[in-house]
Amino acid sequence: QVQLVESGGGLVQAGGSLRLSCAASGRILGNYDTAWFRQAPGKERELAAARSWTGVRTYYADSVRGRFTISGDNAKNTVYLQMNSLKPEDTAVYYCAARYTSARSIQDDYPYWGQGTQVTVSS
């Protein structure tokens, strides 16, 4: 079992940056693929970024590619989402997710979830 706790959300002006953190307990994240999903008000949850446990495979949604970076620190058992050049449309609750590493697409099948952290970008 993996427990995930997100932090780092908040209110930021358009063009600003935030770094979200996802601290894991219960298992070593080094054996887990991880992802950041987001859900804006009135919209379906979408995958923003994902990373295989080695970091060799990554995925970014078109809407965030070039602005967001997912990374991991196995020593700290923590995954990060660096968000730059933020836009009002990035406003959402951001969720960290994890799964035991697999050869399957890193876009799917995450059984472990955090509680979410709110990111609000003002124009």
Side-chain angles (χ1 to χ4, degrees):
Q1 191 74 6
V2 178
Q3 292 81 42
L4 304 171
V5 179
E6 303 95 334
S7 61
L11 175 63
V12 63
Q13 288 189 333
S17 298
L18 282 174
R19 189 177 78 159
L20 304 183
S21 299
C22 174
S25 61
R27 289 292 185 270
I28 299 173
L29 270 188
N31 294 322
Y32 284 76
D33 302 329
T34 51
W36 287 94
F37 289 79
R38 65 184 186 179
Q39 186 166 21
K43 295 187 177 181
E44 292 189 355
R45 186 174 62 196
E46 66 170 352
L47 175 63
R51 174 182 183 272
S52 62
W53 77 277
T54 61
V56 171
R57 290 184 292 156
T58 58
Y59 166 87
Y60 293 96
D62 289 343
S63 57
V64 309
R65 188 175 295 114
R67 300 187 297 120
F68 289 12
T69 303
I70 185 171
S71 63
D73 186 336
N74 290 341
K76 296 183 177 180
N77 223 23
T78 301
V79 177
Y80 304 98
L81 185 67
Q82 178 67 43
M83 305 186 295
N84 299 327
S85 302
L86 283 161
K87 304 175 181 180
E89 51 263 43
D90 293 319
T91 295
V93 177
Y94 284 72
Y95 298 91
C96 176
R99 70 177 195 194
Y100 193 77
T101 191
S102 165
R104 303 189 311 272
S105 167
I106 57 174
Q107 300 179 45
D108 304 308
D109 298 332
Y110 287 89
Y112 304 112
W113 292 81
Q115 82 290 348
T117 185
Q118 176 70 47
V119 171
T120 303
V121 184
S122 63
S123 57

